[in-house]
């Protein structure tokens, strides 16, 4: 099946608590690559961990003072997470009537989920590889159901699944703190990390998967081997050390979701200035300028939950204009 990526989109989270207003802003800003919004300001269950915990099958989580903890049965926190997801889907459906094209939905990936969700004793699921396996299996099943629901509501959409993995690098390096905070969980073997990701990526059989991380040192090669068709990252955190893996990724057909627009309030440069770094990288790698628009989707550097509603609107519009500048003047 041929797939056409959009030139610009958002990362996922937006400020405020009005689902219809957020959906209207997103579909208005990105007519050719909208996304399902997340509005964490509404409270626990609307945050990314709570939302994804609400999608799990036969595993339930509730809010404790220390964070989200796996429990035996669905409680009010699970119900609240599912209710808000339903509200966001209703709003998306309303503003995508007749839409045909790429549409992005987000969920937390298996390793960030394992680092964030606590087991009954209060330690992260990451401390128990059996629990990690169960969690990944439950997530894969829940994502399958979620994707089917989005397909039903927006039948013309080509769905892109984004897995958010901000903790992935900490998991690989053994930097996730224990409950006491005095020690860290040991690093998880890279092959295990890769195979678990591959299993979850594999759930989305009729569309591409993008893995997002706005942490430094994104493991491009590992994510590509795990089946990611695109990688979303904060462009400002790249160093020249990343050049080779990025060059290989582009030449191997992996799309780059370049986070070039700041995620919190501040002055915005002109659109061409925002993507100047991308053009410079291209020249440094010796890649053909004509490939730019084919290989890059422009996004904010991370989610916009911490921005003001006015800035979030401007940032999304700015991403769309910056992507146009990249397409019109690749040199």
């Amino acid at each position: 099946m041929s797939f056409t990526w959009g030139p610009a989109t958002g990362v996922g989270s937006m400020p405020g608590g009005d689902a219809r207003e957020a959906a209207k802003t997103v579909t208005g800003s990105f007519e050719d690559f909208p996304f399902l919004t997340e509005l964490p300001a509404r409270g626990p269950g609307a945050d990314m961990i709570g939302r994804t915990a609400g999608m799990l099958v036969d595993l339930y989580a509730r809010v404790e003072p220390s964070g989200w903890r796996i429990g035996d049965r669905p409680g009010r926190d699970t119900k609240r997470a599912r209710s808000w997801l339903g509200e966001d889907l209703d709003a998306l459906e309303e503003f995508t009537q007749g839409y045909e094209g790429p549409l992005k939905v987000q969920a937390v990936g298996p390793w960030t989920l394992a680092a964030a969700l606590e087991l009954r004793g209060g330690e992260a699921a990451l401390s128990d590889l059996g629990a990690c396996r169960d969690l990944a299996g439950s997530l894969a099943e829940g994502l399958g159901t979620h994707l089917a629901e989005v397909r039903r509501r927006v039948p013309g959409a080509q769905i892109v699944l984004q897995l958010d993995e901000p903790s992935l690098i900490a998991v690989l390096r053994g930097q996730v703190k224990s409950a006491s905070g005095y020690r860290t969980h040991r690093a998880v073997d890279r092959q295990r990390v890769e195979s678990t990701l591959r299993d979850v990526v594999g759930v989305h059989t009729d569309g591409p998967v993008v893995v997002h991380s706005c942490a430094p040192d994104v493991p491009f090669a590992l994510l590509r081997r795990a089946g990611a068709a695109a990688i979303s990252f904060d462009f400002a955190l790249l160093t020249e050390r990343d050049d080779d893996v990025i060059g290989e990724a582009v030449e191997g057909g992996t799309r780059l979701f370049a986070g070039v627009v700041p995620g919190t309030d501040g002055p915005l440069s002109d659109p061409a200035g925002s993507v100047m770094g991308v053009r410079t990288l291209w020249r440094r790698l010796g890649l053909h300028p004509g490939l730019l628009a084919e290989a890059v989707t422009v996004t904010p550097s991370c989610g916009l939950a911490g921005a003001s509603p006015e800035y979030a609107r401007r940032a999304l519009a700015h991403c769309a204009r910056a992507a146009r500048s990249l397409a019109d003047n690749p040199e």
Side-chain angles (χ1 to χ4, degrees):
M1 178 181 103
S2 70
F3 183 85
T4 308
W5 297 93
T9 191
V11 172
S13 67
M14 291 283 286
D18 185 330
R20 287 187 76 254
E21 187 57 38
K24 185 178 170 187
T25 298
V26 163
T27 52
S29 304
F30 302 122
E31 290 171 5
D32 41 15
F33 200 178
F35 62 96
L36 175 64
T37 56
E38 298 164 2
L39 303 172
R42 291 180 296 198
D47 59 302
M48 65 184 218
I49 299 296
R51 162 162 291 190
T52 303
M55 294 179 191
L56 297 174
V57 173
D58 296 333
L59 280 177
Y60 309 101
R62 62 176 189 274
V63 179
E64 296 285 341
S66 52
W68 285 88
R69 184 171 297 181
I70 295 170
D72 299 321
R73 59 182 71 85
R76 65 164 190 257
D77 297 321
T78 300
K79 292 194 183 86
R80 194 186 296 130
R82 290 175 178 172
S83 162
W84 273 325
L85 175 58
E87 205 176 283
D88 294 335
L89 284 166
D90 288 345
L92 179 74
E93 185 179 357
E94 179 184 343
F95 288 100
T96 51
Q97 294 293 312
Y99 175 73
E100 293 183 359
L103 167 70
K104 185 165 70 70
V105 299
Q106 306 81 222
V108 175
W111 293 107
T112 295
L113 203 58
L117 284 183
E118 299 172 358
L119 299 172
R120 287 176 183 79
E123 211 49 88
L126 191 65
S127 63
D128 178 337
L129 290 176
C132 290
R133 196 171 50 243
D134 293 347
L135 196 52
S138 171
L139 173 64
E141 200 177 331
L143 283 174
T145 305
H146 176 53
L147 292 166
E149 175 66 8
V150 178
R151 223 172 276 123
R152 184 182 70 75
R153 287 168 175 265
V154 194
Q158 295 180 302
I159 300 171
V160 176
L161 170 62
Q162 175 179 306
L163 295 174
D164 290 317
E165 282 284 13
S167 302
L168 183 62
I169 292 90
V171 167
L172 286 165
R173 292 183 176 168
Q175 293 168 340
V176 177
K177 282 194 161 51
S178 65
S180 67
Y182 294 124
R183 58 182 190 83
T184 55
H185 296 292
R186 72 163 60 120
V188 181
D189 175 71
R190 291 182 84 85
Q191 280 171 314
R192 185 186 291 271
V193 168
E194 188 184 315
S195 70
T196 301
L197 273 169
R198 191 180 299 110
D199 290 346
V200 177
V201 166
V203 168
H204 190 27
T205 51
D206 57 359
V209 175
V210 49
V211 178
H212 167 72
S213 174
C214 42
D217 300 325
V218 174
F220 283 86
L222 183 152
L223 295 176
R224 290 178 61 219
R225 287 195 305 271
I231 298 169
S232 170
F233 55 95
D234 179 345
F235 192 83
L237 297 178
L238 287 186
T239 67
E240 292 199 16
R241 278 203 320 269
D242 299 305
D243 279 7
D244 288 349
V245 287
I246 288 187
E248 282 166 24
V250 172
E251 286 173 346
T254 303
R255 192 166 186 91
L256 305 181
F257 278 44
V260 295
V261 177
T264 49
D265 290 44
L268 291 167
S269 71
D270 67 301
S274 292
V275 286
M276 195 159 59
V278 182
R279 289 194 184 96
T280 305
L281 170 70
W282 233 244
R283 278 197 295 273
R284 213 165 60 223
L285 295 176
L287 293 167
H288 191 282
L291 260 182
L292 260 175
E294 286 173 37
V296 175
T297 291
V298 175
T299 72
S301 57
C302 216
L304 294 169
S308 66
E310 169 55 26
Y311 176 81
R313 273 192 296 275
R314 286 194 299 123
L316 297 186
H318 193 86
C319 287
R321 283 199 295 271
R324 225 170 5 252
S325 150
L326 211 49
D328 294 346
N329 309 300
E331 297 290 350

